[in-house]
Amino acid sequence: MAVETNDKTSLPHDFGDDDGPVTFKRYTSTKKKQLHSELTKSTSNSLDGQSNRQSSNVPSSNGQSSSAPKGDVVPSAKPSAMKSSVGNSKPSNSLVNPASVKLPVANSRSHSLNDKAKSVPEQKTSIDIKGETKFIKHCTNDYAEDSEDEEDNKPLSARLKVNSNNDNKATLVVAKKSYQDSDDDDDIPLSAKLFRNSNVGTSSGNCDDPDEKKLISKVQKELQNGSSASIKQEKPSTVPSKRPLDNSNSMHSQAKKSKVSDPAASIKTKQVSMKCEPKVEDDDDDDIPISQRIKKSATSADKSSSINKKAAVSADKSSSIKKNLTKVTKVNKAGKTAFKKQPKKLKKSGKGSDYSKSMKFLPGSGDGQKKWTTLVHNGVIFPPLYQPHGVKMLYKGKPVDLTPEQEEVATMYAVMRDTDYMQKDKFKENFWNDWRKLLGRNHVIHNLKDCDFTPIYDWYQSEKEKKKQITTEEKKALKEEKMKQEEKFMWAIVDGVKEKVGNFRVEPPGLFRGRGEHPKMGKLKRRICPRDIVINIGKDAPVPECPIPGERWKEIRHDNTVTWLAYWSDPINPKLFKYVFLAASSSLKGQSDKEKYEKARMLKDYIENIRAAYTKDFTNKDITKQQIAVATYLIDKLALRAGNEKDDDEADTVGCCTLKVENVTREAPNKLKFNFLGKDSIKYENTVEVELPVYNAILKFQKEKSPGDDLFDMLDTSKLNAHLKELMPGLTAKVFRTFNASITLDDMLNKGTKGGDVGEKIVVYQHANKQVAIICNHQRSVSKSHSAQMSKLNEKIDELKAVLKELKTDLDRAKKGKSPLKSSDGKTKRNLNPEALEKKISQTNAKIVKMQRDMKTKEDLKTVALGTSKINYLDPRITVAWCKRHEVPIEKIFNKSLLEKFSWAMDVDPDFRF
DNA sequence: AGGCTGACTTGGCGTAAAACGT
DNA sequence: ACGTTTTACGCCAAGTCAGCCT
């Protein structure tokens, strides 16, 4: 599986048979995506165990009353505690359910996995890396000591550089400097901040720092201010409870405390401690040979995962703290400068402890489990009311009077003139049906055909134009104004930690834009009001004020077994809900994300047996078992989604279990051609070679069926998942996608990275990323300007080639002592010596090569979306570890939001392998 | 057992914002 | 400094999957 240039889908574990070409064609105008399925639920019972402990104290549903059971949480915060916890964690690991689990085979792995496993130990390391690794380990041992180590304080990228040969002094310097400046984080590059934070000691997580505490309460106040409400709830129970736990126990905290007065000092300390942390966590199994890991996992509940969890937890916490800080900082920028320092402190200190606290209640999958103890937020923000423009549309050529409500909907339709929806009868029909109701029976408008929305369309275009024209200052002012209004909704305080809220804006009314041939496209999505919204909040937290006078929320709930802050039911499909959740950067999300990847990693230990089992069942006489085997094979090999049943009022798309006979064509002797619309009506087209028994089984499943019949008629996702669960605890169809994506990345990065400069390494990464995107069928539509851009690039290359030619001529002449010819536009050129000319020539050549490479990449990626897999399928630790090993700044791969989202993965050991 | 509901993850697109080139 | 191209992000649709109910 080396990195080839072609687009085959070969998964690492491929049996080696699939060379089928993968074609990614875009479906007509609609997009097509394919499948995916990840998984995720946390498995964990063991986790629960932990959480339960905590929660046990809490009788009330929200647990606030119990207030953070200090004891429980605390231990983790302490260094020593951490270690021990790590050890303990094994048993608790939820993922592994000893009883039900079948032991994975520790040994042989056929397929590429094998190789990987073997290679792992060897790969570990380059010299520099070793240095770092060692250092880390060292830290582990002495927990509180090396505060001095400057390295630790440096951002990862800086450190890497240093280690390497300091190529980039500049960066390093900057980083250091900012670091030392204790106060101003604002000047520090984001990545640096993140790294810092993440690295920051576990220990520190505590809020022992008085400053921190203050900060927290301040934050809370801020939050609350917004709403007027007051924060009481948290004070007694929440904030205090949590923080104390962490603080009190941890050694760190003590250290910190002593330094409290000296910000810089405290920072250092914290950082130091942080360093240690990584060790603890990551240590986990990374240094252990895979085979051992396997054993471990097999026996006890996957120690690694448990460990990881912990690590994750601590990391998360730290991250959350960081975030808090960051947030605070931002806020400060906006106007409250005073807080800056404090926030920083928090961040630094935070890592471990906060996280762990929250960790305990694992979110993840746990259903029915406690996800939080205290929850404070300000509810949601509503879109502005409709402002009538008064522009009259025409009906049979004549202007028509519309009420504001009618006009609003007419405008929604008018502004969609340039979209593909206007070509769809279904869209128009649905729109008309809904709009007609608003118009009423006796309205002059009797049909859509005679409507001319042009005046409204034109008005809208001119408004857009006006908007564009406003100056940057005005834009800035507007933006600030908006921020001001939204700020209070942007944050929630979860167990005393300030976290970003994901989508706090209620969806505005509009016409439903379903994907593919959605039967409901064009229907009016009505405006959502407070009376539609259910708020979920801590029992003691103030209920957000209803922003619309005279109205009230539909319901207030205090359900701490869920993570949503609010929901309303989807006006298009009342059976569905629209939720307001925390942002991806929150520790709650981070934690479940980590659990997802741990589960996928666990699959690595089971996959061989699973494959052997389904291979055996390809010929099982029990047709259900046979179908399960074939379906599992397809999900494993092709990363298909599970394929739940769908209603008639949804677009007609399929996944594995819902494949129709017509979606698979046999091509003798052993190829299968897949052609169907997957999630989001993204077309999946792929021809693959399969094992003969699979081919024959498909033949059998298709026999005597009509094209529209279910291929797997004995199967549905619940049966399939139930079966998978017997093979590995928590295993579901989507885990295979995560597994295949991540292991492919890991494999390709490790095989494909040869050296070269950062740019070349990034190409390797992108290539691997692309393979994953292809496997997962993550497509995107070709941008409208793609061909124009390509031809532009071609022109540029041609120009450069012309320049090159001229330069060569000049060189020849120069060698003979002649002056250069005039340039094509008639100008006289400077008389350069041969050396200078040669230099220019080589520069130009390099430029051409680079442009050609860029062009190729661009063409290559025009239909492939790399982002989706990065966000959802690739274990960030693979990327972070690879960046560390190869001295690639992480920011070259992860953008700001990914850095935040994956803050839990930043302190991974450089030797980490998926 | 199977359908339904609820909660949460995954997904592409459009546009705002940032980066880049001139 | 400005216009253009590239990237990031918000939006919200559409999946997955567990647990409940019947």
Side-chain angles (χ1 to χ4, degrees):
Chain A
M1 295 274 106
V3 183
E4 307 130 328
T5 35
N6 60 26
D7 290 351
K8 302 179 169 189
T9 353
S10 45
L11 298 186
H13 58 275
D14 261 316
F15 292 114
D17 44 54
D18 65 340
D19 289 319
V22 173
T23 11
F24 267 36
K25 278 163 193 160
R26 279 237 133 211
Y27 195 36
T28 49
S29 57
T30 58
K31 334 169 159 190
K32 3 176 162 188
K33 275 172 166 180
Q34 169 194 339
L35 37 122
H36 74 36
S37 57
E38 238 198 47
L39 105 107
T40 325
K41 276 194 139 240
S42 57
T43 39
S44 22
N45 308 326
S46 61
L47 289 179
D48 304 351
Q50 293 183 353
S51 58
N52 291 339
R53 273 199 250 146
Q54 252 197 344
S55 56
S56 65
N57 318 355
V58 186
S60 64
S61 61
N62 58 1
Q64 285 151 296
S65 58
S66 59
S67 78
K70 347 160 181 179
D72 303 359
V73 178
V74 180
S76 61
K78 290 183 181 183
S80 58
M82 290 188 64
K83 285 182 186 178
S84 62
S85 65
V86 171
N88 299 337
S89 63
K90 278 189 175 188
S92 65
N93 181 337
S94 60
L95 290 180
V96 181
N97 173 340
S100 62
V101 180
K102 295 180 183 176
L103 297 186
V105 178
N107 37 6
S108 62
R109 330 175 123 217
S110 40
H111 313 323
S112 55
L113 268 182
N114 239 340
D115 303 329
K116 275 185 194 173
K118 287 176 192 164
S119 65
V120 173
E122 289 139 35
Q123 290 209 1
K124 287 186 175 182
T125 62
S126 63
I127 298 173
D128 323 52
I129 294 168
K130 281 182 183 170
E132 172 139 331
T133 310
K134 275 185 187 170
F135 168 68
I136 292 171
K137 287 180 180 177
H138 172 71
C139 286
T140 335
N141 298 333
D142 332 342
Y143 216 43
E145 301 211 277
D146 14 46
S147 49
E148 297 281 359
D149 212 297
E150 292 189 10
E151 286 288 276
D152 294 344
N153 302 336
K154 293 167 195 167
L156 173 64
S157 55
R159 283 197 240 163
L160 289 173
K161 284 167 187 170
V162 174
N163 285 338
S164 64
N165 267 332
N166 14 344
D167 328 5
N168 288 316
K169 289 181 182 169
T171 317
L172 178 58
V173 173
V174 173
K176 271 189 184 175
K177 197 182 165 214
S178 44
Y179 226 33
Q180 282 166 354
D181 285 344
S182 65
D183 288 357
D184 256 336
D185 277 86
D186 297 341
D187 302 333
I188 301 171
L190 174 66
S191 57
K193 289 190 208 174
L194 290 171
F195 276 107
R196 240 203 254 160
N197 289 327
S198 60
N199 287 336
V200 175
T202 14
S203 53
S204 52
N206 341 316
C207 292
D208 298 332
D209 272 338
D211 300 272
E212 292 183 12
K213 284 182 185 171
K214 275 185 206 161
L215 212 192
I216 290 170
S217 59
K218 251 186 175 185
V219 170
Q220 289 184 329
K221 273 177 198 161
E222 278 179 40
L223 243 188
Q224 312 261 358
N225 285 340
S227 62
S228 84
S230 52
I231 293 192
K232 296 151 190 182
Q233 118 167 53
E234 301 278 301
K235 292 195 165 170
S237 54
T238 318
V239 175
S241 60
K242 277 215 153 185
R243 300 288 169 189
L245 293 175
D246 294 352
N247 301 335
S248 60
N249 294 329
S250 71
M251 293 170 55
H252 309 305
S253 62
Q254 291 179 356
K256 286 180 187 176
K257 284 181 179 179
S258 61
K259 308 200 173 180
V260 172
S261 57
D262 173 352
S266 66
I267 290 169
K268 276 189 183 178
T269 310
K270 289 167 187 178
Q271 290 174 345
V272 173
S273 58
M274 289 179 63
K275 292 179 177 182
C276 295
E277 236 196 357
K279 292 200 117 206
V280 175
E281 303 178 22
D282 276 326
D283 268 358
D284 63 23
D285 296 326
D286 297 348
D287 300 334
I288 302 168
I290 289 187
S291 57
Q292 288 186 22
R293 284 196 225 171
I294 293 173
K295 282 182 191 167
K296 277 189 211 167
S297 61
T299 39
S300 60
D302 193 343
K303 173 198 213 170
S304 68
S305 66
S306 63
I307 291 174
N308 283 330
K309 280 175 188 172
K310 283 200 171 181
V313 173
S314 58
D316 287 345
K317 285 202 168 183
S318 65
S319 65
S320 63
I321 289 178
K322 277 184 191 179
K323 283 164 200 168
N324 291 334
L325 293 178
T326 312
K327 296 164 186 177
V328 175
T329 309
K330 285 177 190 167
V331 174
N332 290 337
K333 283 182 179 177
K336 321 173 180 184
T337 345
F339 289 100
K340 275 189 178 180
K341 293 186 178 183
Q342 291 181 355
K344 286 182 180 180
K345 287 182 179 182
L346 276 178
K347 291 176 182 179
K348 289 163 188 178
S349 61
K351 198 180 210 178
S353 52
D354 285 350
Y355 204 54
S356 23
K357 297 172 187 176
S358 49
M359 286 282 298
K360 303 195 168 175
F361 330 122
L362 295 171
S365 46
D367 296 271
Q369 297 187 25
K370 183 172 164 185
K371 307 285 201 314
W372 46 265
T373 299
T374 62
L375 174 62
V376 184
H377 63 84
N378 287 314
V380 293
I381 188 168
F382 290 87
L385 295 178
Y386 180 68
Q387 301 292 327
H389 47 68
V391 175
K392 293 189 185 356
M393 56 170 292
L394 309 175
Y395 184 69
K396 294 191 173 172
K398 291 182 186 151
V400 188
D401 282 326
L402 295 176
T403 66
E405 293 74 31
Q406 295 163 350
E407 180 194 284
E408 180 180 16
V409 180
T411 304
M412 291 170 187
Y413 186 78
V415 304
M416 287 182 73
R417 180 149 105 177
D418 299 329
T419 69
D420 290 346
Y421 289 107
M422 283 303 160
Q423 318 306 324
K424 303 195 177 188
D425 292 339
K426 193 79 207 174
F427 183 88
K428 291 190 260 195
E429 179 193 326
N430 286 333
F431 163 73
W432 171 242
N433 283 334
D434 283 358
W435 191 43
R436 190 168 54 176
K437 285 178 211 153
L438 269 182
L439 294 175
R441 250 189 208 191
N442 304 318
H443 201 277
V444 278
I445 296 178
H446 284 292
N447 68 67
L448 189 57
K449 239 187 205 141
D450 292 320
C451 290
D452 180 358
F453 297 90
T454 307
I456 297 178
Y457 174 84
D458 290 343
W459 165 83
Y460 177 71
Q461 295 302 322
S462 78
E463 286 296 302
K464 247 174 41 180
E465 196 49 40
K466 277 187 210 160
K467 240 185 192 171
K468 256 194 209 161
Q469 299 309 325
I470 63 176
T471 66
T472 22
E473 292 85 59
E474 287 170 317
K475 274 186 192 165
K476 212 172 161 186
L478 285 173
K479 204 175 158 187
E480 267 181 32
E481 176 61 22
K482 196 181 172 203
M483 274 291 270
K484 212 170 160 186
Q485 290 179 351
E486 297 188 341
E487 194 191 318
K488 74 172 193 179
F489 300 101
M490 283 199 291
W491 311 99
I493 299 174
V494 183
D495 295 335
V497 177
K498 192 178 177 191
E499 301 271 20
K500 214 173 197 165
V501 177
N503 54 327
F504 49 86
R505 294 177 196 90
V506 171
E507 292 176 20
L511 301 182
F512 178 67
R513 295 152 108 108
R515 269 92 99 146
E517 296 305 313
H518 200 294
K520 295 190 172 181
M521 65 170 77
K523 285 177 69 69
L524 173 62
K525 199 170 69 164
R526 55 162 259 260
R527 185 175 289 273
I528 301 300
C529 310
R531 64 172 175 278
D532 298 313
I533 296 182
V534 176
I535 298 282
N536 190 34
I537 197 160
K539 255 191 184 152
D540 300 329
V543 173
E545 189 182 349
C546 178
I548 300 180
E551 286 208 39
R552 46 191 295 192
W553 303 112
K554 179 178 184 182
E555 187 187 337
I556 303 297
R557 251 186 245 176
H558 310 290
D559 183 354
N560 70 353
T561 65
V562 295
T563 66
W564 53 267
L565 309 183
Y567 80 73
W568 62 90
S569 68
D570 180 2
I572 294 296
N573 185 350
K575 285 189 296 190
L576 303 179
F577 295 146
K578 297 284 197 173
Y579 292 93
V580 174
F581 290 116
L582 292 176
S585 57
S586 65
S587 67
L588 224 47
K589 293 276 194 190
Q591 193 185 298
S592 69
D593 213 27
K594 180 160 186 174
E595 284 166 18
K596 170 180 81 185
Y597 291 115
E598 282 309 308
K599 189 186 280 184
R601 278 180 95 196
M602 186 161 78
L603 177 54
K604 195 179 47 156
D605 298 334
Y606 288 81
I607 193 71
E608 196 179 326
N609 281 349
I610 290 172
R611 287 174 180 156
Y614 67 57
T615 300
K616 207 171 156 194
D617 279 346
F618 286 158
T619 52
N620 198 309
K621 298 203 185 59
D622 179 334
I623 184 116
T624 303
K625 284 183 181 163
Q626 190 184 17
Q627 291 196 355
I628 285 176
V630 173
T632 309
Y633 170 80
L634 296 179
I635 285 170
D636 182 23
K637 186 181 175 73
L638 302 177
L640 300 188
R641 295 187 182 85
N644 284 306
E645 306 287 335
K646 299 188 74 183
D647 284 351
D648 293 340
D649 60 358
E650 298 176 89
D652 191 15
T653 61
V654 303
C656 186
C657 294
T658 41
L659 280 171
K660 305 285 182 279
V661 168
E662 63 194 351
N663 296 136
V664 185
T665 314
R666 283 168 287 110
E667 293 181 0
N670 65 340
K671 281 188 186 167
L672 295 178
K673 181 175 172 191
F674 292 84
N675 189 332
F676 60 88
L677 295 184
K679 180 177 177 182
D680 288 337
S681 295
I682 295 290
K683 186 162 196 153
Y684 182 91
E685 268 189 305
N686 193 8
T687 303
V688 292
E689 262 182 46
V690 297
E691 301 190 358
L692 207 53
V694 172
Y695 184 87
N696 291 330
I698 295 286
L699 173 63
K700 177 174 158 194
F701 302 153
Q702 289 179 326
K703 225 173 191 173
E704 291 167 19
K705 282 185 193 165
S706 313
D709 291 345
D710 286 333
L711 180 67
F712 297 116
D713 55 311
M714 307 297 289
L715 210 54
D716 63 34
T717 55
S718 64
K719 278 181 193 145
L720 179 67
N721 283 333
H723 173 256
L724 293 176
K725 231 154 244 107
E726 290 173 10
L727 303 175
M728 184 189 106
L731 185 61
T732 62
K734 77 197 271 268
V735 178
F736 285 90
R737 283 198 118 204
T738 312
F739 166 75
N740 280 141
S742 286
I743 205 148
T744 299
L745 177 74
D746 188 80
D747 191 53
M748 289 188 64
L749 285 183
N750 283 284
K751 288 184 178 160
T753 314
K754 306 280 197 248
D757 60 26
V758 169
E760 290 167 283
K761 287 173 183 167
I762 288 172
V763 170
V764 171
Y765 189 92
Q766 283 193 334
H767 187 78
N769 195 169
K770 179 189 164 194
Q771 284 306 117
V772 172
I774 288 171
I775 289 167
C776 295
N777 200 32
H778 291 145
Q779 301 189 35
R780 61 172 181 164
S781 49
V782 179
S783 88
K784 289 173 214 149
S785 57
H786 178 80
S787 65
Q789 287 173 13
M790 291 302 277
S791 46
K792 213 168 183 176
L793 282 173
N794 261 325
E795 273 173 34
K796 278 188 178 172
I797 289 176
D798 287 347
E799 271 171 38
L800 283 173
K801 282 181 176 167
V803 169
L804 193 63
K805 200 175 165 192
E806 230 175 79
L807 283 170
K808 282 179 178 165
T809 309
D810 293 348
L811 177 62
D812 286 346
R813 294 177 61 89
K815 280 179 180 166
K816 296 172 189 163
K818 298 179 188 170
S819 57
L821 295 172
K822 289 190 176 179
S823 65
S824 51
D825 52 357
K827 285 180 186 164
T828 315
K829 285 180 287 193
R830 208 150 54 95
N831 207 345
L832 294 170
N833 61 33
E835 290 73 33
L837 283 168
E838 274 174 4
K839 195 177 165 197
K840 271 196 158 184
I841 287 173
S842 75
Q843 282 173 341
T844 310
N845 261 323
K847 229 178 183 173
I848 291 174
V849 170
K850 183 175 181 296
M851 284 188 85
Q852 285 173 333
R853 188 175 76 184
D854 289 351
M855 244 180 97
K856 185 172 176 293
T857 308
K858 196 178 185 128
E859 181 65 29
D860 249 20
L861 298 176
K862 72 177 176 189
T863 60
V864 183
L866 300 185
T868 308
S869 52
K870 250 191 214 174
I871 294 173
N872 299 303
Y873 292 107
L874 300 176
D875 187 335
R877 293 169 297 182
I878 297 167
T879 301
V880 173
W882 176 82
C883 281
K884 287 179 179 178
R885 268 181 270 139
H886 298 282
E887 291 153 30
V888 174
I890 188 69
E891 347 15 28
K892 297 270 185 192
I893 312 281
F894 288 160
N895 62 32
K896 193 183 93 180
S897 56
L898 287 178
L899 286 170
E900 282 179 24
K901 170 171 178 169
F902 297 139
S903 60
W904 58 268
M906 293 302 157
D907 51 8
V908 69
D909 189 285
D911 292 334
F912 176 90
R913 293 296 302 271
F914 181 72

